[in-house]
Amino acid sequence: MAEHRSMQRAALLDAARSLLSEGGTEALTFPALAERTGLARSSVYEYFRSRAAVVEELCEVDFPVWAAEVSDAMQRAATSEAKVEAYVRQQLALVGDRRHRAVVAISASELDAGAREKIRAAHGGLVAMIVEALGELGHTEPRLAAMLLQGVVDAAVRRIELGAAEDPTAITDAAVAMALRGVRG
């Protein structure tokens, strides 16, 4: 029984990811979740008390995985500059991933304080990874530089998400070039 419940919960989270990546937070409704999973709407409420609860759980499940992928890419890099490049490239490489799209949709949405705090903490973990590399590059304000660098990444993410005129590869290369020139500061 417990296994069945956890499978249904996983199916609901997967449906939530799809809905978020297709239509943003407006698309994430309990009727839509029920329809996608074949569960009765009342069953959806047995798993989650609100949309915010769905979002919060997605953050808890997906953000660490996503951050770990960025961290792994950075650990494989030999130099501080290569770590910066890996940090930018890996985040942008994940843009097409449904988990990432869901996280972006979530980040842009109206969330309760608890969910916002979880996202902030996860983002903080991501930024903390790069602070060290920036310090090694001799930055006097590595924390500020990290926040600005993440701003470049976020802008590139939005540009790719929008399906901008430029090819995603060109956007990624431009973001990497800007980051590397900027962090040499």
Side-chain angles (χ1 to χ4, degrees), residues 47-108:
Y47 291 93
F48 299 104
R49 65 190 184 286
S50 64
R51 270 174 17 145
V54 178
V55 161
E56 219 166 299
E57 187 150 332
L58 268 181
C59 292
E60 277 175 46
V61 173
D62 289 353
F63 234 124
V65 175
W66 186 48
E69 289 177 30
V70 175
S71 174
D72 291 348
M74 287 176 68
Q75 280 167 357
R76 287 192 301 270
T79 65
S80 299
E81 280 197 0
K83 281 185 193 330
V84 170
E85 179 165 353
Y87 178 81
V88 175
R89 281 196 189 280
Q90 189 60 38
Q91 285 190 67
L92 297 178
L94 291 168
V95 171
D97 185 309
R98 267 182 338 141
R99 280 170 317 171
H100 178 275
R101 279 211 300 272
V103 165
V104 169
I106 289 165
S107 301

Side-chain angles (χ1 to χ4, degrees), residues 2 14 21-22 24 37-38 53 55 62-63 79 85 105 115 123 128 133 135 143-144 175:
D14 203 49
S21 71
E22 289 160 21
T37 54
V55 161
D62 289 353
F63 234 124
T79 65
E85 179 165 353
H123 257 290
R143 188 128 199 100
L144 173 60

Side-chain angles (χ1 to χ4, degrees), residues 18-168:
S18 294
L19 290 164
L20 282 164
S21 71
E22 289 160 21
T25 40
E26 301 76 53
L28 180 60
T29 65
F30 278 29
L33 282 171
E35 191 184 318
R36 286 280 167 110
T37 54
L39 292 169
R41 202 182 309 183
S42 58
S43 298
V44 178
Y45 283 99
E46 286 174 34
Y47 291 93
F48 299 104
R49 65 190 184 286
S50 64
R51 270 174 17 145
V54 178
V55 161
E56 219 166 299
E57 187 150 332
L58 268 181
C59 292
E60 277 175 46
V61 173
D62 289 353
F63 234 124
V65 175
W66 186 48
E69 289 177 30
V70 175
S71 174
D72 291 348
M74 287 176 68
Q75 280 167 357
R76 287 192 301 270
T79 65
S80 299
E81 280 197 0
K83 281 185 193 330
V84 170
E85 179 165 353
Y87 178 81
V88 175
R89 281 196 189 280
Q90 189 60 38
Q91 285 190 67
L92 297 178
L94 291 168
V95 171
D97 185 309
R98 267 182 338 141
R99 280 170 317 171
H100 178 275
R101 279 211 300 272
V103 165
V104 169
I106 289 165
S107 301
S109 69
E110 295 304 304
L111 293 176
D112 64 22
R116 265 204 313 274
E117 195 38 59
K118 286 200 174 81
I119 288 179
R120 248 200 308 279
H123 257 290
L126 213 52
V127 171
M129 290 190 249
I130 201 66
V131 171
E132 191 182 337
L134 294 172
E136 288 163 7
L137 284 169
H139 261 278
T140 51
E141 296 272 357
R143 188 128 199 100
L144 173 60
M147 299 308 281
L148 296 174
L149 173 61
Q150 187 58 44
V152 169
V153 173
D154 293 343
V157 164
R158 280 193 300 279
R159 193 100 189 124
I160 293 170
E161 291 270 332
L162 287 169
E166 310 87 4
D167 179 67

